[in-house]
Amino acid sequence: QKEVEQNSGPLSVPEGAIASLNCTYSDRGSQSFFWYRQYSGKSPELIMFIYSNGDKEDGRFTAQLNKASQYVSLLIRDSQPSDSATYLCAVKKDAGNMLTFGGGTRLMVKP
Amino acid sequence: DVKVTQSSRYLVKRTGEKVFLECVQDMDHENMFWYRQDPGLGLRLIYFSYDVKMKEKGDIPEGYSVSREKKERFSLILESASTNQTSMYLCASSRVAGNRSPLHFGNGTRLTVT
């Protein structure tokens, strides 16, 4: 089992819909969770992070964390074609500084 | 804004050459990282450093070494490049701030070894 797992996709949603991206992790000691967006040929850029159970909202983005079930998700409301990218989930296990990345989910938003 | 700068965007080298990839960050971050990214394999950590002259192996250190002589600069060295080291190389930095500090990435270096 991979430490951080994501469905590779592609996930295809129509413009204006909600895109739901999921990530599961294996280590119960994981403490911080990050979502990065990566456009083709570009480097990852941080969207948001979450470390407490529940929801965290930032504009059109909502991160959801459920530590008991060991999953974290990212919701994108009112999806736009410009949201088409690969979304990487990353997990920090402890107070150290290493992030473990999932393989990423490719999102396609169709006009 | 944090800026992480990688010296080359594209690099083509021959098998057996010694290759240096340079990375500089301007935010006085303690931690610096080198990842490689390959289709289907995602981001894999090669080496990281949490202080000047300190280094730790990541998941795939074989065939690589690193140097951190100054806080702002972290170099990745391919001692003898091989074709299986053709990849996108990403440098990143972060602050030592418990478990909530995110990584900030450079623009990447696409290395081709022929």
Side-chain angles (χ1 to χ4, degrees):
Chain A
Q1 183 190 7
K2 290 184 181 177
E3 290 187 59
V4 182
E5 295 211 55
Q6 296 179 257
N7 188 318
S8 61
L11 173 66
S12 183
V13 300
E15 184 175 356
I18 296 175
S20 177
L21 305 159
N22 298 313
C23 171
T24 59
Y25 59 95
S26 60
D27 189 330
R28 285 195 170 275
S30 300
Q31 296 190 2
S32 300
F33 308 86
F34 302 81
W35 283 100
Y36 286 82
R37 177 177 61 200
Q38 187 175 25
Y39 291 112
S40 180
K42 303 291 187 182
S43 59
E45 53 181 334
L46 181 70
I47 298 174
M48 60 192 307
F49 63 90
I50 187 169
Y51 45 82
S52 299
N53 272 331
D55 295 1
K56 180 180 179 183
E57 189 173 315
D58 184 0
R60 294 187 296 114
F61 299 96
T62 300
Q64 299 176 318
L65 175 60
N66 184 322
K67 287 188 176 181
S69 300
Q70 294 177 243
Y71 82 79
V72 56
S73 61
L74 180 70
L75 301 178
I76 306 174
R77 287 183 300 282
D78 189 23
S79 296
Q80 301 297 308
S82 58
D83 294 326
S84 298
T86 296
Y87 289 80
L88 303 170
C89 171
V91 174
K92 189 173 283 189
K93 287 195 279 190
D94 51 27
N97 298 293
M98 288 177 57
L99 283 185
T100 300
F101 284 84
T105 298
R106 190 158 71 95
L107 173 67
M108 296 172 57
V109 181
K110 297 190 172 179
Chain B
D1 264 3
V2 176
K3 189 162 187 183
V4 181
T5 303
Q6 294 183 231
S7 54
S8 303
R9 189 76 178 94
Y10 298 95
L11 214 50
V12 179
K13 296 292 182 180
R14 294 190 183 275
T15 300
E17 278 194 79
K18 190 169 186 176
V19 181
F20 292 86
L21 302 182
E22 306 287 345
C23 176
V24 177
Q25 50 93 4
D26 66 357
M27 284 302 291
D28 201 37
H29 283 172
E30 292 81 3
N31 303 317
M32 297 188 75
F33 305 80
W34 275 107
Y35 286 87
R36 66 178 280 178
Q37 187 173 30
D38 301 286
L41 297 176
L43 276 158
R44 293 180 292 167
L45 181 64
I46 304 171
Y47 266 99
F48 70 99
S49 168
Y50 52 88
D51 201 354
V52 176
K53 297 192 184 295
M54 305 301 288
K55 60 184 179 183
E56 294 285 342
K57 291 179 180 179
D59 299 319
I60 51 163
E62 297 78 18
Y64 303 94
S65 62
V66 290
S67 172
R68 189 144 181 224
E69 296 295 320
K70 293 185 177 181
K71 190 175 185 180
E72 67 271 18
R73 186 179 297 269
F74 192 35
S75 303
L76 180 69
I77 303 154
L78 286 66
E79 296 291 341
S80 177
S82 62
T83 54
N84 63 12
Q85 292 178 310
T86 292
S87 186
M88 169 69 87
Y89 289 87
L90 290 163
C91 175
S93 71
S94 73
R95 186 173 300 287
V96 174
N99 60 8
R100 299 174 186 177
S101 52
L103 293 183
H104 299 269
F105 285 90
N107 286 332
T109 296
R110 186 165 291 282
L111 173 68
T112 302
V113 182
T114 61

